[in-house]
Amino acid sequence: MKKNKSFKRELILSFLIIGITSIIILGSFQIYQLYSLVNEKQSNQIALTTFMEDYIDNYVDTHARIIETMSYQISDDVSEGDFASIQQDLSEIKAHYPGFVNLYIGDPEGQAMLFYPEVLTDGVIEENYNFSDRRYYQELINKQTSVISPAFHGRGGTDLLLVAIVSPIFDDQGNMQGYLLGALDLNELDSYTSNRINDDTSKTIVLDRENNAIVHPDIDTARELVNLSNNEIVNHIEGNQTSGSFTIKDGDERKFITYGKIESLGWTVWISSPVIAIIGEFLDSIFAVILVALLTGAIVIITSLLLTNRLESAIHKLLHYIHSYTASYKKNEPFQLAAQISGPSEMNEVLIHFNGMMEEIDYNREKLMKLNTELEERVRERTINLENKNKELRFKHAELSAVLESMFEGIMLLDNKKQIRYVNEFFLKVIENEALPPLQTLEDVSERLLTSFDVTQEELDSFFNEGGELKLKNKLESGKDQFYLLHRFSVTSEEEQIGFGLLIQDITKEVEIDTLKDNLISLTSHEFKTPITTIKGSVETLLRNDVDWEPEFKQELLEGVLEDIERIQQLVNDWMDISKIESGTMYIEPRQIHADKVIQESIDRIPPVLQEDATFQFHNEVEGKAVFYADKERVQQVLLNLFTNALRYNDAVHKEVEIILRKNEEYIIISVSDNGIGIDEKHIERIFNRFYQVDVTATRRSGGTGLGLAIVQGVMEAHQGKINVESSVDTGSTFTLYFPHVGKEVNK
């Protein structure tokens, strides 16, 4: 038979098992709670990194969209030189978006034309600085679209570390006439990211696309431009995917890194926390549990020995009393058991120790309840954070909807079942058709495209299935063609396609520009071919060694060559003038001139061959001197162009040109009338366009590039003047020039 254990041994073992088991259970539960907290800390850091990434992306994107929108809105003000209105617009941007340190308007050469605020951060009044050496300016010139620069030191009143958002300003012809720049204050990002970190051990770092530190707790990013391309953490992040986490040894300390890459900006965001700060409590708890278990085991053994000895003695006494009582009972002898044992004192000791154990359990329970309360508080704070984030997401959704509705392109989103989920106002206007039912599916879109544009069902089916681009053409009631470009793109969420989108753009201006380019090539080849052919023939004739030409004949050939060279020179000058006008760099040198003298000198410069069978009548209706400030050479260029056009486009037997000089309170007025072929009303609005020619056949007969009147209009605008035209077919035309009076400011 198995030998039974002694009561003392059983009691010691029982006490030991009870004590150790209690410690292990409580310790395990505490370790589990701490392990959960470690995971929660890491998850919170990952979520915070994602939030920082989204916030910075949205922060920069919101300011970039404001700059892009405002550059479009002020294009007319820039063309008209209305800087007072522009400054008001800039002040409103600054008031609503204080993240901008300053804003300014620059011309195409990088020269700053207007600053806001006028008093800069260092108290200096703004000056017209030249920023053409800035990298963002070079990138803007090359791309002709909005640019977000890397971090750089500002100048022009501030040496802060800035990020510039630059957007081009185009005129009505699509040519860049300047740019709008907003300089972002990086201290705003630094302050925001610092406030989001709740402990002193974690750090938030933000780098731009060139790995310059924008936010860094160990770097004065407001003043220092530090590049971290050689940093081990940066190299590790660049070699991995767009976001994630990893542990790396940085110096003597291991750190837990969570990062995200803002692809739209090329920026990188990461949060660094010491590993020991995350798992320190966990390791300390394990050590404490082991230590407590060992100490508890030793205490239980010692205590149980003392207790079991006293209890065993009491039991032996009890047994002795029982035996004595039994013996007395058998012998029928009286026995006073109560007098010997009123109750074992060891039981009171057991009770005391039991109460002590209960007090310890209660103490541990209170600690556990406190820990549970702290956990509930953290859950509550987390819930509040999630609710705040949900509010922010709803606000961002409203912002996104507002941005989509204000776009100058049409956008439509459809799900995988080809059901329309969103369409903005621009897209609806393009395919608007009240005769058709409301838009619900892709078939409705296809039906409207077929009725609105010159496109076949096969082309639409191929486009919707294969994607890419589809060019659409629509003829307006005015007879003008309108062109659109339709794009198809996929819509994905967490690498899963949830639908697709359609983007439609108005490319009418781009098509018109291509047409103008074709006209330029055609006119260039025609206008250069004739004089070059004539020059070549004359030179080849003079170079013949087998003929001795007479001096008069040589002189005649050389004069012809000179005329052709002058014709080519005139063509080159016209194109250079048009280029200056389009770029806004035409320079005029105004001085006081006499209108009547300029008119007479311009008449005298008309080639004699054009003056045959022509009569000029000059009527000066101005009393006294008709003087005004203007560039004399440019004024004569305008008048000579109008005089020669009046003679070239004139089929009358006797050509008549009438010039009238008069003035009013604002302008010196010069009108030029002829009895030529006239201009049809449908052409009048377009005769000042580049390369536009009313009658191609007549133009080829008399020569010309279609640039003359465009140059005339450009010269008048440079003088802050204007030109009007009245004409009737087969009757003649009247061109009227308006020059500002003496003393009126003229742009140089």
Side-chain angles (χ1 to χ4, degrees):
M1 294 179 62
K2 184 176 180 181
K3 186 178 180 181
N4 292 330
K5 296 178 181 178
S6 66
F7 174 79
K8 182 177 181 179
R9 184 177 179 186
E10 285 283 349
L11 196 58
I12 292 175
L13 183 60
S14 298
F15 277 125
L16 188 59
I17 291 175
I18 292 172
I20 297 298
T21 301
S22 300
I23 296 300
I24 291 176
I25 292 174
L26 293 175
S28 298
F29 184 77
Q30 186 175 7
I31 291 172
Y32 172 78
Q33 293 292 327
L34 291 173
Y35 179 78
S36 299
L37 289 177
V38 170
N39 290 335
E40 183 180 356
K41 282 185 178 181
Q42 294 180 340
S43 299
N44 289 342
Q45 183 170 324
I46 293 172
L48 181 58
T49 303
T50 302
F51 176 81
M52 292 288 192
E53 178 184 353
D54 293 340
Y55 173 82
I56 294 171
D57 189 13
N58 290 327
Y59 179 86
V60 178
D61 183 67
T62 298
H63 287 75
R65 289 185 180 276
I66 290 299
I67 294 299
E68 290 176 354
T69 302
M70 187 55 63
S71 66
Y72 176 81
Q73 293 178 354
I74 66 174
S75 60
D76 291 339
D77 293 337
V78 174
S79 300
E80 296 170 4
D82 189 0
F83 290 102
S85 177
I86 295 174
Q87 189 157 20
Q88 178 63 29
D89 293 335
L90 296 184
S91 68
E92 292 180 2
I93 295 178
K94 178 66 175 174
H96 290 89
Y97 296 90
F100 288 118
V101 177
N102 55 38
L103 303 103
Y104 76 86
I105 303 293
D107 62 19
E109 282 71 39
Q111 185 73 31
M113 300 185 292
L114 177 65
F115 269 85
Y116 188 87
E118 295 181 346
V119 177
L120 305 174
T121 57
D122 58 359
V124 178
I125 298 178
E126 60 88 8
E127 299 178 6
N128 293 330
Y129 294 94
N130 189 294
F131 297 95
S132 59
D133 59 333
R134 288 297 195 188
R135 290 180 55 189
Y136 61 73
Y137 170 79
Q138 302 298 331
E139 189 173 354
L140 176 70
I141 294 300
N142 293 334
K143 291 184 176 180
Q144 295 285 300
T145 186
S146 297
V147 172
I148 300 177
S149 75
F152 63 92
H153 283 294
R155 71 162 180 261
T158 179
D159 59 351
L160 294 176
L161 200 60
L162 306 173
V163 167
I165 302 175
V166 192
S167 182
I169 303 175
F170 298 100
D171 58 18
D172 293 338
Q173 286 74 37
N175 297 302
M176 179 176 163
Q177 60 179 340
Y179 61 90
L180 171 61
L181 180 143
L184 281 182
D185 186 0
L186 299 182
N187 287 330
E188 291 288 331
L189 289 179
D190 195 358
S191 299
Y192 183 84
T193 54
S194 298
N195 293 334
R196 298 298 299 181
I197 299 298
N198 297 325
D199 59 85
D200 298 330
T201 60
S202 299
K203 299 179 181 179
T204 301
I205 295 92
V206 181
L207 307 181
D208 66 12
R209 66 187 186 194
E210 295 181 352
N211 293 328
N212 295 317
I214 294 177
V215 175
H216 199 296
D218 300 329
I219 299 174
D220 183 10
T221 53
R223 304 292 178 184
E224 298 179 48
L225 182 60
V226 179
N227 189 277
L228 300 179
S229 296
N230 296 327
N231 186 278
E232 186 176 355
I233 297 176
V234 174
N235 295 332
H236 191 91
I237 292 175
E238 290 180 345
N240 288 278
Q241 55 188 358
T242 56
S243 63
S245 62
F246 58 91
T247 302
I248 190 171
K249 187 173 183 180
D250 186 13
D252 298 329
E253 186 177 47
R254 294 193 64 81
K255 293 184 178 180
F256 177 69
I257 308 294
T258 56
Y259 69 93
K261 301 178 182 178
I262 307 176
E263 295 184 352
S264 59
L265 302 175
W267 292 13
T268 303
V269 182
W270 87 71
I271 297 179
S272 170
S273 298
V275 173
I276 191 63
I278 297 176
I279 66 172
E281 295 180 6
F282 180 77
L283 296 177
D284 292 341
S285 178
I286 293 176
F287 177 78
V289 169
I290 295 173
L291 181 60
V292 169
L294 294 176
L295 291 176
T296 301
I299 293 172
V300 166
I301 292 173
I302 296 173
T303 303
S304 59
L305 284 173
L306 295 175
L307 290 176
T308 53
N309 286 334
R310 296 178 65 186
L311 185 59
E312 188 178 36
S313 176
I315 292 173
H316 286 164
K317 287 181 180 181
L318 180 60
L319 290 175
H320 174 72
Y321 290 144
I322 292 172
H323 290 307
S324 298
Y325 176 78
T326 303
S328 298
Y329 179 77
K330 288 179 177 180
K331 293 178 180 181
N332 198 18
E333 295 177 354
F335 183 79
Q336 300 294 328
L337 179 62
Q340 298 296 325
I341 307 174
S342 59
S345 60
E346 290 79 5
M347 295 301 176
N348 293 325
E349 292 293 332
V350 170
L351 180 61
I352 292 173
H353 284 287
F354 179 77
N355 291 333
M357 185 178 66
M358 292 302 298
E359 288 177 356
E360 184 178 357
I361 292 175
D362 189 60
Y363 172 75
N364 289 333
R365 178 177 174 277
E366 288 180 358
K367 288 180 63 177
L368 183 60
M369 292 295 294
K370 183 178 179 181
L371 184 62
N372 187 57
T373 302
E374 293 177 354
L375 181 60
E376 289 178 351
E377 180 64 22
R378 292 181 182 179
V379 170
R380 187 184 67 82
E381 292 177 356
R382 178 63 176 166
T383 302
I384 294 174
N385 290 336
L386 290 175
E387 290 176 352
N388 293 334
K389 186 174 182 181
N390 187 41
K391 292 179 181 178
E392 292 178 2
L393 289 175
R394 288 200 299 269
F395 179 73
K396 291 175 182 177
H397 176 73
E399 282 186 333
L400 179 60
S401 298
V403 170
L404 291 176
E405 287 299 327
S406 63
M407 287 176 59
F408 293 99
E409 293 87 12
I411 188 168
M412 176 182 290
L413 302 177
L414 303 95
D415 58 22
N416 289 329
K417 295 181 179 180
K418 300 182 180 179
Q419 299 289 324
I420 297 174
R421 293 302 182 186
Y422 174 81
V423 59
N424 69 354
E425 190 67 23
F426 185 93
F427 205 118
L428 288 175
K429 288 182 179 180
V430 172
I431 62 174
E432 183 176 9
N433 192 329
E434 296 181 354
L436 296 176
L439 287 171
Q440 293 182 343
T441 66
L442 184 62
E443 293 181 358
D444 298 331
V445 178
S446 178
E447 184 177 2
R448 295 196 179 207
L449 291 175
L450 289 171
T451 57
S452 301
F453 298 100
D454 184 13
V455 64
T456 65
Q457 185 66 54
E458 290 75 13
E459 291 174 331
L460 286 178
D461 292 341
S462 176
F463 168 74
F464 289 137
N465 293 329
E466 300 177 5
E469 298 178 348
L470 179 63
K471 188 175 182 181
L472 303 173
K473 178 181 178 183
N474 178 28
K475 185 175 288 295
L476 302 176
E477 294 180 357
S478 61
K480 182 179 178 181
D481 291 334
Q482 194 167 15
F483 297 89
Y484 290 91
L485 193 62
L486 187 63
H487 303 264
R488 182 185 186 277
F489 59 91
S490 298
V491 179
T492 60
S493 177
E494 297 180 355
E495 300 182 357
E496 179 183 358
Q497 181 168 342
I498 61 174
F500 63 95
L502 299 176
L503 179 70
I504 192 167
Q505 297 173 296
D506 188 344
I507 59 169
T508 304
K509 289 187 177 180
E510 287 79 356
V511 173
E512 290 177 351
I513 290 173
D514 291 339
T515 303
L516 288 175
K517 291 179 180 178
D518 294 339
N519 290 341
L520 173 61
I521 295 172
S522 175
L523 289 170
T524 302
S525 61
H526 174 80
E527 294 298 329
F528 274 101
K529 182 177 180 181
T530 301
I532 290 176
T533 301
T534 304
I535 292 172
K536 180 180 179 183
S538 299
V539 172
E540 289 176 348
T541 301
L542 292 174
L543 290 175
R544 288 182 60 182
N545 296 324
D546 58 337
V547 180
D548 187 11
W549 305 110
E550 295 181 359
E552 294 80 3
F553 180 71
K554 291 181 178 180
Q555 182 67 24
E556 181 181 352
L557 289 179
L558 291 174
E559 289 176 355
V561 170
L562 181 60
E563 290 178 0
D564 289 329
I565 292 174
E566 290 176 348
R567 181 179 176 186
I568 294 175
Q569 182 65 43
Q570 185 59 43
L571 291 174
V572 174
N573 290 339
D574 286 347
W575 289 329
M576 291 180 65
D577 286 342
I578 279 294
S579 176
K580 292 177 182 178
I581 291 171
E582 292 300 324
S583 63
T585 59
M586 171 170 277
Y587 177 82
I588 63 171
E589 187 176 354
R591 64 177 182 273
Q592 192 179 62
I593 60 177
H594 294 265
D596 52 347
K597 292 183 180 180
V598 173
I599 293 172
Q600 190 59 53
E601 290 176 4
S602 300
I603 295 174
D604 295 339
R605 291 176 61 181
I606 298 174
V609 66
L610 292 178
Q611 297 190 40
E612 296 178 1
D613 300 323
T615 300
F616 284 83
Q617 297 180 5
F618 175 36
H619 304 287
N620 187 351
E621 299 180 358
V622 178
E623 296 181 1
K625 296 182 179 180
V627 294
F628 62 104
Y629 275 97
D631 190 316
K632 182 178 180 181
E633 290 299 324
R634 291 296 185 183
V635 174
Q636 288 183 339
Q637 181 183 8
V638 169
L639 292 174
L640 190 60
N641 188 289
L642 297 180
F643 294 161
T644 54
N645 282 351
L647 297 175
R648 285 176 176 165
Y649 300 98
N650 196 323
D651 295 334
V653 176
H654 187 77
K655 304 173 183 177
E656 296 180 0
V657 180
E658 183 181 21
I659 303 103
I660 299 176
L661 174 62
R662 61 184 186 276
K663 71 176 182 178
N664 58 22
E665 294 181 355
E666 296 184 56
Y667 299 101
I668 294 292
I669 304 171
I670 304 173
S671 61
V672 180
S673 303
D674 62 63
N675 62 339
I677 61 176
I679 305 171
D680 193 289
E681 184 178 357
K682 66 182 181 180
H683 296 295
I684 287 180
E685 293 184 357
R686 304 177 65 187
I687 60 175
F688 294 105
N689 293 347
R690 296 168 297 167
F691 308 112
Y692 185 78
Q693 298 169 331
V694 176
D695 185 351
V696 177
T697 303
T699 301
R700 289 289 180 262
R701 178 186 64 199
S702 61
T705 61
L707 298 176
L709 290 179
I711 295 174
V712 168
Q713 187 181 51
V715 173
M716 294 303 298
E717 290 176 352
H719 284 83
Q720 293 189 356
K722 58 183 179 179
I723 179 172
N724 291 335
V725 58
E726 297 178 358
S727 184
S728 179
V729 177
D730 298 330
T731 300
S733 305
T734 299
F735 288 83
T736 305
L737 307 173
Y738 295 85
F739 291 96
H741 267 313
V742 174
K744 188 167 184 177
E745 294 183 0
V746 179
N747 288 335
K748 293 185 179 182

